[in-house]
Amino acid sequence: MAKLQEATPIVRRPLHEEATDRLRDLIVQGRLAPGERLNERLLSVQLGLSRTPLREAIKVLATEGLVELLPNRGAIVSHMDAVRLSESLVVMGALEALAGELACINATDAQVNEIRALHYEMLAYHARGDLAGYFKFNQAIHLKIVKYSGNTMLFNAYRQLNANVRRARYMANLSRERWDAAVREHDEILAALGARDVKRIKALLSDHLAHKLASVLAALPSRQAA
Amino acid sequence: MAKLQEATPIVRRPLHEEATDRLRDLIVQGRLAPGERLNERLLSVQLGLSRTPLREAIKVLATEGLVELLPNRGAIVSHMDAVRLSESLVVMGALEALAGELACINATDAQVNEIRALHYEMLAYHARGDLAGYFKFNQAIHLKIVKYSGNTMLFNAYRQLNANVRRARYMANLSRERWDAAVREHDEILAALGARDVKRIKALLSDHLAHKLASVLAALPSRQAA
DNA sequence: TTTGGCCATTTTGCATGCAGAATACAAAAA
DNA sequence: TTTTTGTATTCTGCATGCAAAATGGCCAAA
């Protein structure tokens, strides 16, 4: 007898995992603002579960750095100051450079083409001047490069830092010049990946992240003043 | 009136944090073996608390990668296979290289001397052939370098990977030659740090971790066979 | 001996209850 | 008015209870 339903392991997703993902999204999307208190009772009602799995989710987000625990006073959405942001970008730069190297070596041609497709979609949004759409595919490309490095631990470390940085992407508020430059850099990155040029992609990604950091830092002070 | 007790904010440490640390130690020290089931009732009795804070601790350790959650079947200590181990070491190599650079720039002379002191203590254990003592100070040195990079996000990312790798250090079972070589490498690393030689320490740490990876990989197959 | 099914027990996942800490608020004192 | 103090309320941290899922054992059938 053939195994029917092979691909459908019908196991209900634990509520605490669901809560973790939903809360993470709320924070990353900025719907829960930095510094905002996480009222357990309120959130548990809003998410439709009890406080127990919610508290487990909060603890997880705290280890991810998205939330800060104040003993006996609950949790707040952690602040994303300039220091943390630039620190994260520096680390991500090193991780992406490594990921680029590994991806050059390990990614299949199909995976490279998958990234290429995302690249062209991103170009389309850039051409239209659609920043939100651009960001979405930009994110996807960087994540795919790290993913196709084939190093799971690298991917996890990167993912965690990235969640923290994504919250602040609106702070970047990048100029048209920087935007255009970033797109050109992406062109080169893709070319290096296609050519399997390990040294080149490492340098390109390193520079790309350094530029991103500079652009964010340049945009920050004005924001801090506000 | 002078504020008495200024320096004693007597806030009891939350049980779930205590539990997280204690459980992490149990796993890192190998007293809970990879693959071993975490029986909540049993552990809660052993640790002297209820299942609620213990479950929160388990969720935290799961996001740290020390524990694997099996929906509806609890949690097991995650396996440390050769793949995960070498993946982690590769990432740690990149992070340490970055940390070395930053430490050269940011560490104070006092901090460098602190590392130097650890180095000499390590040399003493090496001279005595005391591997356990050597490992302890070796660990401390690497952690301090990353810490004195001054990049908190880097430190956290490194710390997390390191917890996973430490469990497997007995697998390394390094040869006397490798041990001597590692000590010589540490000599050079310290010299580069003292000289604030950014390029050199980056290369040295990169190589040091690569050698460590090679040594671990060489020792692994025999272990896997057992 | 091995395989499969049925039932008792254990274990997990979650909701709820309760004590203590923190907070908000109002009245009294400066 | 501003500050302080006492009190009620809210909130967190943790223990416990309960339903559903998983596990283990036993026995019959292959």
Side-chain angles (χ1 to χ4, degrees):
Chain A
M1 167 92 63
K3 294 187 214 162
L4 300 176
Q5 310 240 347
E6 168 77 52
T8 55
I10 314 175
V11 281
R12 202 171 55 77
R13 188 128 183 279
L15 287 189
H16 63 85
E17 284 186 18
E18 190 80 26
T20 305
D21 289 348
R22 288 222 270 159
L23 250 187
R24 188 189 295 114
D25 282 349
L26 287 178
I27 294 171
V28 169
Q29 292 170 13
R31 302 170 58 117
L32 287 172
E36 190 168 342
R37 270 254 334 253
L38 299 181
N39 185 310
E40 294 180 359
R41 185 101 43 196
L42 185 65
L43 274 174
S44 68
V45 171
Q46 288 177 348
L47 298 179
L49 36 74
S50 80
R51 286 175 54 222
T52 303
L54 175 64
R55 281 175 60 81
E56 292 174 358
I58 290 174
K59 298 294 178 298
V60 167
L61 294 177
T63 77
E64 291 181 1
L66 288 172
V67 147
E68 194 176 338
L69 299 180
L70 312 175
N72 287 319
R73 300 191 305 152
I76 60 172
V77 178
S78 62
H79 294 280
M80 176 49 80
D81 54 54
V83 174
R84 284 171 61 98
L85 182 56
S86 53
E87 281 187 2
S88 299
L89 283 174
V90 167
V91 179
M92 288 170 73
L95 293 183
E96 282 207 44
L98 172 61
E101 288 188 84
L102 296 176
C104 269
I105 298 166
N106 299 325
T108 66
D109 288 342
Q111 288 171 336
V112 172
N113 282 332
E114 196 182 321
I115 292 174
R116 196 187 312 278
L118 291 171
H119 180 69
Y120 289 133
E121 295 229 51
M122 186 185 78
L123 290 186
Y125 282 102
H126 172 244
R128 286 190 209 103
D130 181 335
L131 197 57
Y134 167 81
F135 266 131
K136 188 174 142 199
F137 282 95
N138 183 26
Q139 275 293 316
I141 289 168
H142 283 275
L143 265 180
K144 286 285 184 191
I145 290 175
V146 178
K147 177 154 201 172
Y148 293 153
S149 73
N151 186 320
T152 307
M153 303 304 287
L154 174 57
F155 183 69
N156 289 341
Y158 180 83
R159 213 172 182 294
Q160 202 158 307
L161 286 162
N162 191 43
N164 268 287
V165 169
R166 268 206 302 164
R167 299 194 286 152
R169 70 161 182 273
Y170 63 88
M171 295 164 88
N173 201 13
L174 81 182
S175 66
R176 187 73 210 192
E177 294 78 35
R178 175 60 204 137
W179 192 4
D180 294 347
V183 169
R184 284 196 300 276
E185 287 167 17
H186 264 261
D187 270 328
E188 296 192 81
I189 290 165
L190 187 66
L193 180 62
R196 309 288 181 169
D197 188 334
V198 172
K199 289 226 153 193
R200 182 156 174 71
I201 200 170
K202 179 176 179 178
L204 287 172
L205 278 169
S206 235
D207 290 348
H208 185 60
L209 268 283
H211 295 160
K212 181 166 184 173
L213 171 58
S215 135
V216 168
L217 283 185
L220 267 188
S222 56
R223 171 106 204 152
Q224 291 297 72
Chain B
M1 167 91 68
K3 294 187 214 161
L4 300 177
Q5 310 240 348
E6 167 79 51
T8 55
I10 314 175
V11 282
R12 202 171 56 75
R13 188 126 184 278
L15 287 188
H16 63 86
E17 283 186 19
E18 190 80 26
T20 304
D21 288 348
R22 288 223 269 157
L23 250 188
R24 188 189 295 113
D25 282 349
L26 287 177
I27 294 171
V28 169
Q29 292 170 14
R31 302 170 59 116
L32 287 172
E36 189 168 343
R37 208 114 159 237
L38 300 181
N39 185 311
E40 294 180 1
R41 185 101 43 197
L42 185 65
L43 274 175
S44 68
V45 171
Q46 289 178 347
L47 297 179
L49 35 74
S50 79
R51 286 175 55 221
T52 304
L54 174 64
R55 281 177 59 83
E56 292 174 357
I58 290 174
K59 298 295 179 297
V60 166
L61 295 176
T63 77
E64 290 182 1
L66 287 172
V67 147
E68 195 175 338
L69 299 181
L70 311 176
N72 288 319
R73 300 191 307 154
I76 60 173
V77 177
S78 62
H79 295 279
M80 177 49 80
D81 54 52
V83 173
R84 284 171 61 98
L85 182 56
S86 52
E87 281 187 2
S88 299
L89 283 174
V90 166
V91 178
M92 288 170 72
L95 293 183
E96 282 208 44
L98 172 62
E101 287 189 85
L102 297 176
C104 268
I105 298 167
N106 299 325
T108 66
D109 288 343
Q111 289 172 336
V112 173
N113 282 330
E114 197 182 321
I115 292 173
R116 197 186 313 277
L118 292 171
H119 180 68
Y120 289 132
E121 295 228 53
M122 186 185 79
L123 291 186
Y125 282 102
H126 173 244
R128 288 190 208 104
D130 181 335
L131 196 57
Y134 167 81
F135 265 131
K136 189 174 143 199
F137 283 94
N138 183 27
Q139 274 293 316
I141 289 168
H142 282 276
L143 265 180
K144 286 285 184 192
I145 290 175
V146 177
K147 176 155 201 171
Y148 294 153
S149 72
N151 186 319
T152 307
M153 303 305 286
L154 174 56
F155 183 69
N156 289 341
Y158 180 82
R159 210 171 184 292
Q160 203 158 306
L161 285 162
N162 191 44
N164 268 287
V165 169
R166 268 205 301 164
R167 299 195 285 151
R169 69 162 183 273
Y170 63 89
M171 295 164 88
N173 201 13
L174 82 181
S175 67
R176 186 72 209 193
E177 293 79 33
R178 174 62 203 134
W179 192 4
D180 294 346
V183 169
R184 284 195 301 276
E185 287 167 16
H186 265 261
D187 269 327
E188 296 192 80
I189 290 165
L190 187 66
L193 180 61
R196 310 288 181 170
D197 189 334
V198 172
K199 288 226 152 194
R200 182 156 171 71
I201 200 171
K202 178 175 179 178
L204 287 171
L205 278 168
S206 234
D207 290 350
H208 184 60
L209 268 284
H211 295 159
K212 179 166 182 172
L213 170 58
S215 135
V216 168
L217 283 185
L220 266 189
S222 56
R223 171 104 205 154
Q224 290 297 71

